[in-house]
Amino acid sequence: MITFTNGRAIGYDDVGSGVPVLFLHGFPHSRALWAPQLGALATPARTICMDLRGFGESAPGEPGGVDGYADDAAALLDVLGVERAVIAGLSMGGYATFAFWRRHRARVRALVLCDTKATADTEAAREARLKMQALVTERGSMAVANEMITGMVGRTTREKNPELVDELHRMMSLAPVQGIVDALDALRMRPDSTPTLATIDVPTLICVGDEDVLTPVKEARAMHLGIAGSRLEVIAGAGHVSNIERPATFNHVLSEFLVSLTAQ
Ligand code: MLT
């Protein structure tokens, strides 16, 4: 589906009823990343996936960094009449989730941080973002997909599920160039969210694949230590996109977490 906020198109899906969960995808994905979660949780949930600005069916806007992604998410919740939601972000979507918390915390029922980290880019990582911007501008999204696909999934997925690797590669190669360029700025300039961790006082689930090489388990443990009362789940046999590599385990963990919310 497509809606318009501030005159800009936002692509989204909205399936089911129950506790609203808004899913924010990683880089350079689209809301299709969350297909295994959409309407598929054991707990009654309203599963909402959106394309971040410049990806999928969402139009690019003024480059707004991770704050822009967070504000678009809040605007979509407005359109859908959702006052408070569980915000679930994977990797870049996790960086946007931290921004959402800083900017719209009254709207957060709980947080789910998947295969992401609190820390900002190192100098070397910032340099790499600039190089990737040159790459995508000169050679297109396929070149980015080619460069990123190996690290995107875990060893187990590479060995046992080549069809999924192809599907992810296709999703990444379809990402619009402008969306990628703007996202690389958002990634490069995102603030360090480490000081944010201690401010989080809502139930928080942290998930990470044990084969994630982009945001490894030690980053998840650091967030777990920093967020009081948070729950950490390490998903075996998954890499950086644990929700799609191990959907049954991921959905089980997420459903249990949602049940624990309704019990509170
Ligand atoms: C992502 O999956 O969103 C990216 O790998 C995040 C990053 O490069 O920092």
Side-chain angles (χ1 to χ4, degrees), residues 12 15 20 26 37 43 54 89 98 119 169 177-178 191-192 224 234 249:
Y12 73 100
V15 177
Q37 281 69 51
T43 316
F98 284 126
T119 48
H169 182 272
V177 169
Q178 190 60 52
D192 182 7
H224 178 47
V234 179
T249 310

Side-chain angles (χ1 to χ4, degrees), residues 26-27 29 90-92 95 129 148 152 187 190 214 240:
F27 171 87
H29 308 145
L90 183 136
S91 199
M92 180 175 77
Y95 311 151
R129 306 289 191 199
M148 290 192 73
M152 190 56 64
L187 292 166
R190 76 184 189 277
L214 295 181
H240 188 57

